[in-house]
Amino acid sequence: MSSTEPSALSPTDSPTDEQRLHELGYAQELARTMSGFSNFAVSFTIISILSGCLTLYGTGMGTGGPAVIVWGWPVVGLMTLLVGLAMAEVCSSYPTAGGLYYWSAKLSPNNGPVFSWFTGWFNFLGQVAVTAGIDFGAAQFINALLDLEGWYKAGAAHTVIIFGLILLLHGGLNTFGVKLVALLNNVSVWWHVLGVLVIVGVLAVVPSHHQSAGFVFGHFVNTTGWGSSIYVAALGLLLAQYTFTGYDASAHMTEETKDAARSGPKGIVMSILVSLVAGWVLLIGITFAIQNYNGEVNSATGVPPAQIFMDAVGASGGKMLLLVAIGAQLFCGMASVTANSRMIYAFSRDGALPASWFWHRINPRTRTPTNGVWLAAVGAFLLGLPALWNQTAYTAVTSIAVIGLYIAYVIPTFLRVRLGDSFVRGPWHLGRWSRAIGIAAVAWVVVITVLFMLPTANPVGASNFNYAPIAVLVVLGFAGGWWAFSARNWFTGPKVQGSAEELAAVERDLGGS
């Protein structure tokens, strides 16, 4: 094995993607066929405004109402953009599938292994939770549609069954339909953009009644039981912040992306920017179309946007708009499983998961981490199971996704800020704005991490308890305990796979170059 420490990429260097990956210590095991647009498409699909905005819209209706839904979006979006910019700069220096945990190892000269270990575990938790949140939300919408069609009354058990079937579908597609998944990710971008235009256009033209601008931009609603409007408004930011997750997928897909040191960072930033604009248009359009606020927030379907569509444009039109949203959510969940499996592949490549030898296996036919795909699917299903007995379980899952991912996002950002001028930039960087943006990103993540662990309903009971802190503490306790008693003696951070000759041999065995 080579002991040479991989270096960051100088802006003046222009190695090929494979050469750069070799410099970082890895063989080109995954097929590098993805364009810059496809890299952007994965992150944009996982952000999925037609998933996050709609699945948590009902939560937003009770935690601040229209005022927080409409104004919280641009506030959260702009703060998220700062986080994404800081991440993108580091991604340009280290374009590898390990992403966040690899960055943490290389940005901490003295404590790289421990920072890498905990970054990776929080990233793993967040990735699994965001997959659970996306596919559980899709299950809720499908359940509502089947209810409206008269098949049965929507209920928690039906939702969980549909949730499991969706995960099976997404696991199967990522196992047997790899080329189809790549095509569908590109299709997904246009589905989301055109879907927003269709939904907003129909809701603007068809209804005979619309809410006033004063209602849309200023009406405040609190049904949480908490007395503080400020606290409730802060809780209402979860709608936007949960939607703005998963854009680290562009980093995890860099080993499959051409011109990765530029395409990866651009994918992160552009996915946030496009989602910021399109999502705001979508939220404003839906809020103007509200017909009966109380009836829609308490809809028998359990999905307020479905009721808003039905009330605004009638039964047939409402179901068509619901199908547009469901299609987007299914695209989103499929891409989330893809990105999650790449993170699992990279983390297990470095021995950091139990049975890493198993999760790191590459399917020789597709050159994708098939076992990692199914770990992502099963882990997501386990996180969604508490919905059978906890009425706020979905809110908890989305909180876990935000907390897990954003802690993983901010650790390398914090380390990059601390490193100062000794950080070696890649070809895509922030120049003199790097430190200021990094500090603002860290501060924002500290705020939302605390916020989304707090109780969302009052009085707090077994049926509405926010179990996000428990899930975070379980993972932290497991990862911390394993580190203290074992991993600190053998986990040295990302492993260098070998010398240039050894890496070439690995690639020959896989049928690569």
Side-chain angles (χ1 to χ4, degrees), residues 56 59 63 136 140 156 223-224 226 238 383-400 452 454-469:
L56 279 183
T59 300
T63 53
F136 195 90
Q140 289 180 317
T223 61
T224 65
W226 296 107
L238 178 62
L383 264 185
L385 269 182
L388 287 172
W389 60 85
N390 184 332
Q391 64 186 16
T392 58
Y394 185 68
T395 302
V397 168
T398 56
S399 294
I400 294 166
F452 298 140
L454 299 175
T456 57
N458 184 42
V460 179
S463 64
N464 62 13
F465 178 69
N466 181 3
Y467 68 90

Side-chain angles (χ1 to χ4, degrees), residues 15-278:
T16 65
D17 290 310
E18 289 75 13
Q19 288 172 334
R20 180 57 188 152
L21 189 59
H22 290 177
E23 291 171 6
L24 296 174
Y26 297 122
Q28 184 65 58
E29 295 182 293
L30 303 173
R32 192 179 292 273
T33 57
M34 187 173 287
S35 66
F37 179 82
S38 295
N39 182 284
F40 151 78
V42 172
S43 282
F44 180 69
T45 297
I46 296 176
I47 290 176
S48 183
I49 51 179
L50 287 172
S51 177
C53 289
L54 296 182
T55 52
L56 279 183
Y57 192 87
T59 300
M61 291 177 81
T63 53
V68 175
I69 290 172
V70 171
W71 291 115
W73 183 264
V75 170
V76 170
L78 290 173
M79 296 308 297
T80 299
L81 182 60
L82 297 181
V83 177
L85 285 167
M87 287 171 56
E89 181 176 56
V90 182
C91 178
S92 183
S93 290
Y94 304 106
T96 175
L100 309 166
Y101 85 89
Y102 185 98
W103 306 345
S104 292
K106 301 308 171 187
L107 294 173
S108 178
N110 301 318
N111 299 296
V114 66
F115 279 115
S116 176
W117 178 264
F118 283 99
T119 301
W121 274 100
F122 274 110
N123 194 197
F124 175 69
L125 171 66
Q127 287 267 8
V128 171
V130 83
T131 299
I134 293 162
D135 279 354
F136 195 90
Q140 289 180 317
F141 271 60
I142 292 172
N143 207 12
L145 180 62
L146 296 178
D147 185 333
L148 292 170
E149 288 291 338
W151 285 31
Y152 53 70
K153 293 297 293 181
H158 290 142
T159 302
V160 171
I161 292 170
I162 296 170
F163 173 50
L165 293 174
I166 293 172
L167 286 168
L168 280 174
L169 170 65
H170 289 155
L173 280 171
N174 276 280
T175 300
F176 304 108
V178 175
K179 292 183 179 179
L180 178 61
V181 167
L183 173 64
L184 291 176
N185 277 329
N186 289 341
V187 171
S188 172
V189 174
W190 304 112
W191 185 283
H192 277 80
V193 172
L194 294 175
V196 169
L197 293 176
V198 168
I199 290 174
V200 172
V202 169
L203 293 179
V205 173
V206 176
S208 58
H209 166 75
H210 289 92
Q211 296 291 341
S212 67
F215 175 89
V216 171
F217 294 100
H219 185 58
F220 186 88
V221 179
N222 174 16
T223 61
T224 65
W226 296 107
S228 170
S229 297
I230 295 175
Y231 179 69
V232 172
L235 291 177
L237 298 179
L238 178 62
L239 182 157
Q241 195 63 79
Y242 165 67
T243 306
F244 284 112
T245 52
Y247 46 86
D248 58 312
S250 287
H252 296 304
M253 304 303 290
T254 48
E255 290 186 31
E256 298 166 73
T257 303
K258 299 171 184 176
D259 193 18
R262 293 177 178 83
S263 297
K266 290 177 182 177
I268 292 172
V269 175
M270 289 306 299
S271 65
I272 297 171
L273 279 172
V274 176
S275 298
L276 173 57
V277 174

Side-chain angles (χ1 to χ4, degrees), residues 7 12 26 68 112 155 180 199 219-220 231 265 320 323 334 370 412-413 453:
S7 61
T12 60
Y26 297 122
V68 175
L180 178 61
I199 290 174
H219 185 58
F220 186 88
Y231 179 69
M320 291 301 298
L323 280 173
M334 178 192 67
T370 299
T413 300
M453 287 194 186

Side-chain angles (χ1 to χ4, degrees), residues 249-342:
S250 287
H252 296 304
M253 304 303 290
T254 48
E255 290 186 31
E256 298 166 73
T257 303
K258 299 171 184 176
D259 193 18
R262 293 177 178 83
S263 297
K266 290 177 182 177
I268 292 172
V269 175
M270 289 306 299
S271 65
I272 297 171
L273 279 172
V274 176
S275 298
L276 173 57
V277 174
W280 204 21
V281 171
L282 175 65
L283 290 173
I284 291 172
I286 292 173
T287 308
F288 266 113
I290 289 173
Q291 305 293 308
N292 176 8
Y293 199 95
N294 291 333
E296 288 158 357
V297 77
N298 296 308
S299 170
T301 66
V303 178
Q307 196 65 53
I308 293 172
F309 294 162
M310 298 280 287
D311 292 348
V313 302
S316 298
K319 291 173 186 176
M320 291 301 298
L321 296 184
L322 198 55
L323 280 173
V324 172
I326 289 170
Q329 291 161 2
L330 293 176
F331 280 129
C332 178
M334 178 192 67
S336 183
V337 170
T338 304
N340 196 351
S341 68
R342 271 45 171 191

